[in-house]
Amino acid sequence: MTQNTATYDVCAVGNAIVDVLSPCDDAFLAAQSLTPGSMQLVDEIQSAALYDAMAAGVEASGGSAGNTVAGVGSFGGRAAYVGKVAPDTLGGVFSHDICASGVHFDTPVLEGGAGTGRCLINVTPDGQRTMCTFLGAANQLGVEDIDAELIGSSAIVYLEGYLFDPAPARAAFEAAAAAAHKAGRKVAITLSDTFVVARWRAELLAFIEASADIVLANEGELAALFETDDFDAAAAKLASMVEIAAVTRGEHGSVILSGDERVSVAAYPVARVQDTTGAGDQYAAGFLLGVARGLTLEQSGQLGSLAASEVIAHWGPRPMVKLADLAAENGLTLTV
């Protein structure tokens, strides 16, 4: 990897979303006909009705890949983001927050269309989140928004699996991967959600085989991708398709595979899990930054685990402390 010539460690392409997080109980999920732990797409009317029914909550800029690059920035890494917002209040919130994280973000706003995307997240007492997403402007991201020069100046371009849902965004996804490989950079993809995998399994497998160098997934997504509960078999299959496969396993840490190498990384202990929103996103932040900087798989996984442990200990999908300081306190390096 030619990371030493890169302007950015990671450039993420994703759905620009503002999260609205509220506490709830199982009865609320049942009353709203929501599957616990799922992510489903809703239209603007459904989104408004659910918002009205939810308990008081907090608004925080989110979007899976946006959370990841905010984490990269918190580590002191150099990050860029490509995503679509509208020129409305939530769009202003998103733009302010991501730029305040030290992330380069200059995708043109969507004029005269849908509002900025939002994800309504209901969190049960055990920390599990159930998400209903109105994509709005986010799914109007198109090929014209992909800056080949920006992509080519990034060591890793990180693509959000959720982009497989809207067709224009999937075209942008393909364009970003092509631009990265043309520049000799690496393409990483996160599977994002078991429901995304179920909807687009064949297309995801084809994309991974043709265009991905690095795949991040949790064990549920991995099982859905290969339609098996045999973790080792599925992990080995994924590893045979890409250079690096990193699979998170919640409290059991993560497993990283590359060729014949298999590394298991423990999870960092957390006194109390408050909210699992963003755990996988922050793992990706630490892991991808480590890979971009040329660290070992184990060191990269440790950075990922540390970032995940920070975010699940509080509400919201982005770090509340400087991850660079946290890494230093735990004796983790960001340089080779």
Side-chain angles (χ1 to χ4, degrees):
M1 186 183 296
T2 53
Q3 72 266 15
N4 291 336
T5 66
T7 303
Y8 300 102
D9 297 301
V10 180
C11 176
V13 182
N15 283 327
I17 302 287
V18 175
D19 291 339
V20 180
L21 298 107
S22 297
C24 77
D25 55 22
D26 292 329
F28 177 84
L29 298 180
Q32 297 294 324
S33 301
L34 299 176
T35 302
S38 68
M39 193 295 282
Q40 68 181 48
L41 297 175
V42 296
D43 62 28
E44 196 156 11
I45 294 171
Q46 292 170 310
S47 175
L50 179 59
Y51 181 85
D52 288 342
M54 288 166 61
V58 295
E59 291 181 353
S61 294
S64 175
N67 294 337
T68 293
V69 287
V72 172
S74 183
F75 270 119
R78 300 158 303 180
Y81 182 74
V82 178
K84 204 78 167 172
V85 299
D88 54 16
T89 301
L90 290 181
V93 169
F94 184 92
S95 300
H96 172 271
D97 288 355
I98 200 163
C99 292
S101 300
V103 176
H104 174 81
F105 174 53
D106 64 359
T107 308
V109 298
L110 178 68
E111 298 286 356
T116 296
R118 69 219 53 170
C119 182
L120 306 181
I121 305 175
N122 286 284
V123 186
T124 44
D126 61 358
Q128 186 181 59
R129 73 266 194 271
T130 301
M131 302 182 287
C132 291
T133 302
F134 167 60
L135 289 170
N139 74 350
Q140 297 305 309
L141 183 76
V143 172
E144 67 279 4
D145 295 309
I146 300 301
D147 181 344
E149 187 174 335
L150 174 66
I151 299 295
S153 62
S154 306
I156 298 172
V157 60
Y158 179 58
L159 305 172
E160 186 181 305
Y162 288 126
L163 286 174
F164 263 77
D165 277 310
R170 198 189 309 182
F173 195 103
E174 300 275 2
H181 282 147
K182 185 177 181 180
R185 306 301 188 181
K186 298 297 184 186
V187 174
I189 179 176
T190 170
L191 298 186
S192 293
D193 184 276
T194 55
F195 293 83
V196 169
V197 177
R199 284 192 292 270
W200 303 109
R201 180 176 174 272
E203 292 86 348
L204 277 166
L205 282 167
F207 180 85
I208 289 167
E209 196 129 42
S211 301
D213 305 297
I214 302 166
V215 173
L216 293 99
N218 64 33
E219 55 187 332
E221 294 154 4
L222 180 70
L225 186 66
F226 295 108
E227 297 182 321
T228 177
D229 290 326
D230 185 332
F231 177 84
D232 289 333
K237 178 65 175 174
L238 181 59
S240 73
M241 298 171 67
V242 293
E243 288 182 27
I244 301 173
V247 185
T248 57
R249 310 190 77 179
E251 64 188 27
H252 302 297
S254 61
V255 176
I256 305 160
L257 303 99
S258 181
D260 295 330
E261 187 178 1
R262 175 175 170 142
V263 176
S264 294
V265 178
Y268 276 81
V270 178
R272 179 172 181 267
V273 175
Q274 183 73 36
D275 169 26
T276 57
T277 308
D281 302 336
Q282 295 311 322
Y283 180 90
F287 182 76
L288 292 174
L289 179 58
V291 172
R293 295 284 178 92
L295 302 185
T296 66
L297 296 180
E298 182 174 23
Q299 289 170 323
S300 300
Q302 287 171 339
L303 288 174
S305 288
L306 182 67
S309 74
E310 190 281 335
V311 82
I312 64 175
H314 60 75
W315 278 72
R318 298 187 178 181
M320 294 187 81
V321 302
K322 199 77 175 160
L323 292 178
D325 295 341
L326 202 58
E329 289 168 16
N330 284 271
L332 299 181
T333 180
L334 295 167
T335 55
V336 180

